[in-house]
Amino acid sequence: MKDAVRELLKDRRSLREAAIVAVLFPLVTFGMNLFGWGNGMFSWWQTLLVAPIMGFVYWLFVSGFRRFVNEDLTPSWI
């Protein structure tokens, strides 16, 4: 388990993308509310609290799939 976490932390590409998601999430939410297209689901402070969580979840999700990018997942019966 520790080796898998170390491997994920070495993946600089996914860490950079997670940081971008964490920054873009509040910007997009504020921009949508500015234009009147937002749903009003989150206030500004809730958006700022959720942004790092969204970045972390995105990082876990994407990094988990990148570990299997070079494996052949075609079923054997095809």
Side-chain angles (χ1 to χ4, degrees):
M1 181 71 177
K2 289 182 181 181
D3 293 334
V5 172
R6 285 185 189 141
E7 183 181 328
L8 288 177
L9 289 174
K10 288 181 183 178
D11 187 7
R12 298 292 180 197
R13 181 177 167 193
S14 66
L15 288 173
R16 182 175 44 242
E17 289 177 357
I20 290 170
V21 168
V23 169
L24 284 180
F25 180 77
L27 292 178
V28 169
T29 303
F30 292 142
M32 296 290 278
N33 286 332
L34 184 66
F35 289 125
W37 297 338
N39 59 5
M41 188 171 160
F42 298 115
S43 66
W44 65 270
W45 60 269
Q46 289 172 325
T47 303
L48 291 178
L49 287 176
V50 169
I53 296 169
M54 292 296 295
F56 179 73
V57 169
Y58 174 81
W59 173 70
L60 281 178
F61 186 74
V62 170
S63 297
F65 282 111
R66 280 203 183 121
R67 292 176 42 197
F68 304 108
V69 73
N70 293 326
E71 293 187 19
D72 185 19
L73 300 177
T74 307
S76 60
W77 51 271
I78 292 181

